[in-house]
Amino acid sequence: MDFGLVLQTDPPASAVVDLMRRAERQGFTYGWTFDSAVLWQEPFVIYSRILEHTERLVVGPMVTNPGTRTWEVTASTFATLNDMYGPRTVCGIGRGDSAMRVAGRKPNTLARLGEAIDVIRDLAEGRETEVDGQLLRIPWVKDGKLPVWMAAYGPKALALAGQKADGFILQLADPYLTEWMVKAVRTAAVEAGRDPASITVCVAAPAYVGDDLAHARDQCRWFGGMVGNHVADLVSRYGEHSDVIPEALTAYIRERHGYDYSHHGRAGNPSTDFVPDDIVDRFCLLGPVEAHIEKLKTLRELGVDQFAVYDMHDAKEATIDAYGQHIIPALRD
């Protein structure tokens, strides 16, 4: 199992770089960041510094979207980083939540997302493709390589990931839901004539190592609110009781009343008081080292190839070190 670190690009950027360097020293192989231009600093600028100051870390957004940058700009940016530092980038992409809504726009449609996945990959890898009716190719890209991983929850999005993406990003660590969603992605891949084993599965969720569960839950409760945004979209589309979405994903948002993006992804988010303890426990990894190892082994058995640690709480360095010293070795043996 691979391990990634997920951070917000809060200033100073040097602190993000330092945490990524620490993560690489502790055995993490991926470095991810949020991508929301209004809320945080520009991640692609910071990726250049991370790549310069690490040796093996693969970096990318968790996640970008097709709406805030034109597709040729996104592709050229990835291709430039790969040309400068070797093929050490990955494009995590989704419909766009905070990046679009904070700017007063709706998240992208799945049709537009599917088209963008193909276009960005083709351009970044040096192939000619059509963009808004115009044939384009980036002429200086030679033997480019850009895996595109898609974030998804709902049935149509999971199907799209199976049809087009090189990887699937699931932003929660509940084993039951992981099994259900991985199966949906792999089924779609088979139906599209693809090898389902070729799709990398990445589960991303907060992790907090320690014996004080009450404190850990409070530090990670924000995650249930973030996931709740996507769940609310699904409920509005399919209804609260649906045959195509597990109630284990949707039931907890009944007491949800709005969301303030100024606290997005932050411990102490006041918009997440509706999130019960059992959701925090199911969606996150909390408790002593042994609890993390046990849950990660379960996820690995369900087909998870990478666990990416959301490290937005008051124990960033301690979590990185605990994973590097105790948890990563146990999952790599």
Side-chain angles (χ1 to χ4, degrees):
M1 179 180 273
D2 282 329
F3 287 83
L5 182 72
V6 191
L7 299 173
Q8 295 169 333
T9 51
D10 290 314
S14 58
V16 177
V17 176
D18 287 345
L19 286 170
M20 291 296 187
R21 293 178 67 191
R22 188 186 197 109
E24 184 181 62
R25 291 194 301 269
Q26 292 287 10
F28 289 76
T29 52
Y30 281 75
W32 303 91
T33 73
F34 283 31
D35 177 18
S36 189
V38 174
L39 296 177
W40 302 289
Q41 292 186 328
E42 172 54 41
F44 286 94
V45 176
I46 300 171
Y47 295 156
S48 187
R49 290 288 287 176
I50 295 170
L51 290 165
E52 181 181 5
H53 288 281
T54 57
E55 296 178 359
R56 300 169 302 280
L57 207 66
V58 176
V59 304
M62 189 178 280
V63 292
T64 193
N65 71 86
T68 52
R69 295 179 178 83
T70 59
W71 302 348
E72 66 271 22
V73 169
T74 298
S76 181
T77 303
F78 278 112
T80 301
L81 291 172
N82 286 338
D83 186 63
M84 293 173 67
Y85 301 104
R88 293 172 53 199
T89 66
V90 56
C91 177
I93 194 167
R95 292 177 60 229
D97 178 35
S98 61
M100 296 296 287
R101 287 181 164 127
V102 167
R105 307 183 187 107
K106 293 181 179 179
N108 298 270
T109 64
L110 287 176
R112 183 168 175 81
L113 175 56
E115 185 181 356
I117 288 172
D118 290 336
V119 168
I120 291 168
R121 185 197 290 118
D122 283 344
L123 289 175
E125 295 186 346
R127 292 184 294 275
E128 184 179 71
T129 189
E130 185 175 311
V131 184
D132 295 329
Q134 177 72 35
L135 288 176
L136 294 180
R137 184 177 69 86
I138 302 176
W140 54 265
V141 176
K142 309 297 181 185
D143 301 318
K145 186 65 177 174
L146 181 66
V148 181
W149 297 8
M150 180 183 155
Y153 291 110
K156 292 181 179 179
L158 294 168
L160 182 62
Q163 293 159 6
K164 290 183 176 289
D166 301 299
F168 163 48
I169 297 172
L170 173 57
Q171 292 163 306
L172 53 79
D174 175 73
Y176 171 77
L177 293 172
T178 298
E179 182 176 21
W180 184 85
M181 294 186 186
V182 169
K183 181 180 179 180
V185 170
R186 288 178 170 165
T187 298
V190 171
E191 292 173 350
R194 304 181 67 200
D195 177 5
S198 69
I199 301 173
T200 302
V201 176
C202 173
V203 160
Y208 200 106
V209 182
D211 295 323
D212 188 343
L213 281 177
H215 181 73
R217 286 172 181 142
D218 286 343
Q219 287 292 303
C220 299
R221 198 174 306 276
W222 62 266
F223 184 65
M226 188 183 83
V227 174
N229 288 333
H230 305 288
V231 174
D233 285 345
L234 294 175
V235 170
S236 67
R237 188 174 300 118
Y238 296 104
E240 185 175 343
H241 304 287
S242 169
D243 294 335
V244 297
I245 307 171
E247 192 169 348
L249 177 63
T250 60
Y252 83 99
I253 70 160
R254 289 170 185 152
E255 301 302 320
R256 178 181 181 271
H257 302 288
Y259 190 81
D260 183 354
Y261 278 94
S262 65
H263 304 285
H264 189 58
R266 300 186 187 279
N269 186 337
S271 300
T272 61
D273 55 1
F274 70 94
V275 181
D277 286 351
D278 72 293
I279 288 291
V280 183
D281 293 345
R282 283 171 44 206
F283 285 10
C284 304
L285 275 78
L286 311 175
V289 164
E290 295 75 18
H292 291 247
I293 293 172
E294 180 181 1
K295 190 167 186 177
L296 287 168
K297 285 183 176 179
T298 299
L299 292 171
R300 184 173 63 180
E301 291 171 0
L302 295 174
V304 175
D305 301 295
Q306 179 184 151
F307 177 61
V309 176
Y310 277 109
D311 205 23
M312 279 76 80
H313 47 56
D314 63 2
K316 294 181 177 67
E317 292 86 354
T319 299
I320 293 170
D321 293 347
Y323 263 71
Q325 294 165 20
H326 305 292
I327 298 168
I328 292 176
L331 272 293
R332 289 218 171 124
D333 288 343

